[in-house]
Every structure is written in C-alpha cells, then in structure tokens.
Amino acid sequence: MGLLVEIQRDAISDTTPASTLLRKCLVLAHNLDSNLLEDWVRHELNGYPKDVEVPDYRRIPMHFKANLTNLVYTVTNQPVPQALVAKAAGDSDIGTFKCRQAIATISEDKIKDSDTLVVNFDNYALVLERKGIFDSSYNVSQFWGEVPSPSVLGIVDAVRNRVLEFALALSKKYPNAGEVGGITMKEPSVEKTVNQIFNTTINGNAGVVGNADNATVNITVNQGNFGDLRQQLMRQGIGEDDIKELEAAITSEPQIGADKKYGPKVGQWVGKMLGKAASGAWNVGLQAGGVILEKALLGYYGLS
C-alpha cells in the first residue's frame, strides 16, 4: 500500500489520531521536498508561533462578557458587543480567537463539547472604562472572551478534510507521489502543480492562474490590518520571507495618496512579485498577480 493511499485511509478513519495522520504527511512532504506542506504540517503538530498567521479554520469569533460592580450593585455575565470592544481597543481583529494549539491538544478527551472556553481580557478592562463603554458608575471587575468548544473541536475535522482533499488531488495527478524515486519538487513543473494543489486544498483557495480581472479575485483586507493582508497573501501562495519584506516596506510607507500610487519601497516589492509571477516562481499568471496585489494592497490602504 502506497503512502498516499495510507494517508487517504487514515484521513477518513475516526480511529486514527489526527497527529498520526499528520506525521505521515510529514513523510510525504519530505519525499516530495515540499516546504509548503512541511511547514503547514509542523505548525499543526507543534502549534503555530506568534509570528505565523493561523489558517482561516483556526480563526474563531469570540463573544465578550464582563462582570461590573459599584458600591450598591453587581452585574455578572454582561454581554459586550464585539464592535464596541474593537473600537475601544483600536483593533478590528480583537474579536477573533486565533487557536495556536498543537492539534494533539484539541480532542474530545481534553475539551468537552459542552464546554465554553474562556480567554482572559482583564488587561482591557480599564480601556473599556475610559472609553465609556459602560455606565460610569460601574467598574469592570472582570472582562473575558468566550469561545464555543465545538468550533475549536471542528479544527480537527477541518485538518482531516484538507489532508484528504490534498491526497486525492495529488494522487490523481501523480499516482506515485510520496514514494521513493517518485516525483520531486526539484522539477519546476511539478513544483508549480503541487503548490497549486496545496493552495487549493490546504489553504482552501483555488488560486488564480493565467488571466484574471477584478471580478475573478475575491480578496478582502480591512484597512490597516496587516494580519488580514498577510493571511490573504499567504492564501495566494506568497511566502513568509516576501511577506516580511512587504511588512518592512509598509512600516516605512504606511499611507498612499488618493492617486493610489505606492511609495518607492512598496512599489519595488510589487515589481519584484510581478517578476516572480512572470518567471513562474510565484504560481499565478502575470495579469492575475497584478490583480491580486492591487486588491490586497489597496484594501490595506483603505482605497479599494
């Protein structure tokens, strides 16, 4: 039985732990020489570091609550609208729980389906008071976010589904993928195809190859939110090193004019990425790459 067939069987088996499935994917990544697959598998197995953006399926909306008190009354479990918290904190992404745990810690024997997971936000309590979110006669004694445990447990199924889709798509194109002496990413045509399959199945994005116009690229980036920008660019197959280079450029050029003309550093980065698209180093067509970068960057700058 080949490695791809083993992975497919483990992906549909409820008795095979997700961590075991991912270890086989790590072997597959090694045999393919695929850095994209290897990085994703290692993050799922070991947890996502703070400097790595988590995938969409690990981003879970939170509901905020607070305990309030004054000299006379105590109010417990007071719901706090997410929009008000985001405005007071100056962080549009604060209402999203980014689950960075290793996948082995996400299981029903560790997290009960009926549980509500609590994220402590007491350090924001004073900020909310000063912004007038609550009646001024009350003090915030506790402030927290709640995450439904079924949403966290759903991460395991999301990983299984993605692995299955990847293995099925890969075996259809390269039946001997993962076997010793089989295909390798050292062949440019194979690298391009495998990366496209990865971005389609693991990142949950079909990507854009060849020609494209604004109507065929669906990218949403909130103004000034580099986390959004990072996530969207990663979904389009742009690597971490290129994204870090862009972040440094944007830090020095945080705004652009109404004429939508980028600063010299950001413009240089865009030119570099279009060169990669033209050469095939970035797995999109030249026109599609231009549309992707335009939508993502103009969204970040608030000019989309």
Side-chain angles (χ1 to χ4, degrees):
M1 182 170 60
L3 180 58
L4 274 179
V5 175
E6 282 190 49
I7 289 172
Q8 291 168 29
R9 291 185 178 180
D10 287 349
I12 62 177
S13 169
D14 291 332
T15 59
T16 301
S19 53
T20 301
L21 170 64
L22 286 166
R23 290 187 191 105
K24 291 185 179 181
C25 290
L26 192 59
V27 176
L28 175 62
H30 177 268
N31 290 349
L32 288 173
D33 196 24
S34 171
N35 292 329
L36 271 178
L37 180 60
E38 182 177 344
D39 287 347
W40 177 73
V41 171
R42 289 191 185 281
H43 290 148
E44 287 295 334
L45 285 172
N46 303 321
Y48 285 78
K50 289 291 185 182
D51 61 344
V52 174
E53 192 66 30
V54 300
D56 281 352
Y57 57 85
R58 281 178 170 265
R59 294 170 58 87
I60 304 171
M62 283 188 291
H63 302 286
F64 290 109
K65 289 186 178 180
N67 289 340
L68 313 173
T69 184
N70 61 18
L71 295 176
V72 180
Y73 299 106
T74 296
V75 179
T76 59
N77 293 314
Q78 175 67 39
V80 185
Q82 191 179 93
L84 292 181
V85 176
K87 183 177 181 181
D91 182 359
S92 61
D93 207 31
I94 193 173
T96 301
F97 173 63
K98 300 176 182 179
C99 185
R100 299 184 177 276
Q101 297 170 238
I103 200 162
T105 68
I106 305 173
S107 60
E108 290 186 354
D109 61 332
K110 297 180 176 65
I111 303 173
K112 302 304 179 185
D113 195 54
S114 58
D115 289 347
T116 297
L117 306 181
V118 175
V119 182
N120 188 302
F121 278 91
D122 282 345
N123 55 323
Y124 282 91
L126 185 59
V127 174
L128 298 180
E129 288 180 10
R130 288 175 175 174
K131 294 290 184 177
I133 300 299
F134 306 106
D135 186 311
S136 59
S137 65
Y138 283 90
N139 293 320
V140 181
S141 57
Q142 288 181 296
F143 179 57
W144 68 95
E146 293 185 349
V147 182
S149 60
S151 298
V152 177
L153 291 171
I155 291 171
V156 178
D157 272 343
V159 168
R160 285 187 182 277
N161 293 341
R162 281 162 169 74
V163 168
L164 179 59
E165 290 174 7
F166 178 78
L168 289 172
L170 189 61
S171 63
K172 186 175 182 179
K173 186 70 178 177
Y174 303 112
N176 69 335
E179 303 306 312
V180 177
I183 65 165
T184 172
M185 300 280 279
K186 293 177 182 177
E187 303 171 41
S189 62
V190 172
E191 180 181 18
K192 182 175 181 180
T193 301
V194 174
N195 285 347
Q196 183 179 351
I197 292 173
F198 178 89
N199 286 323
T200 300
T201 57
I202 303 297
N203 284 340
N205 175 36
V208 183
V209 179
N211 293 332
D213 56 29
N214 285 334
T216 64
V217 181
N218 183 21
I219 290 179
T220 302
V221 176
N222 291 316
Q223 182 177 358
N225 189 326
F226 195 83
D228 277 357
L229 181 58
R230 177 192 300 276
Q231 183 179 23
Q232 293 294 340
L233 294 180
M234 287 180 68
R235 291 182 64 184
Q236 299 295 341
I238 296 179
E240 185 65 28
D241 288 344
D242 287 325
I243 292 174
K244 286 181 179 178
E245 186 180 330
L246 173 62
E247 184 174 18
I250 284 180
T251 298
S252 63
E253 297 167 359
Q255 296 179 335
I256 60 174
D259 58 359
K260 300 183 180 180
K261 184 176 180 181
Y262 304 124
K265 293 182 180 179
V266 174
Q268 183 179 13
W269 183 87
V270 170
K272 171 188 169 184
M273 293 310 302
L274 292 179
K276 285 191 172 187
S279 68
W282 177 23
N283 188 35
V284 299
L286 180 57
Q287 183 178 350
V291 174
I292 289 167
L293 297 178
E294 180 182 23
K295 278 205 164 188
L297 287 170
L298 291 184
Y300 176 85
Y301 282 121
L303 295 172
S304 58

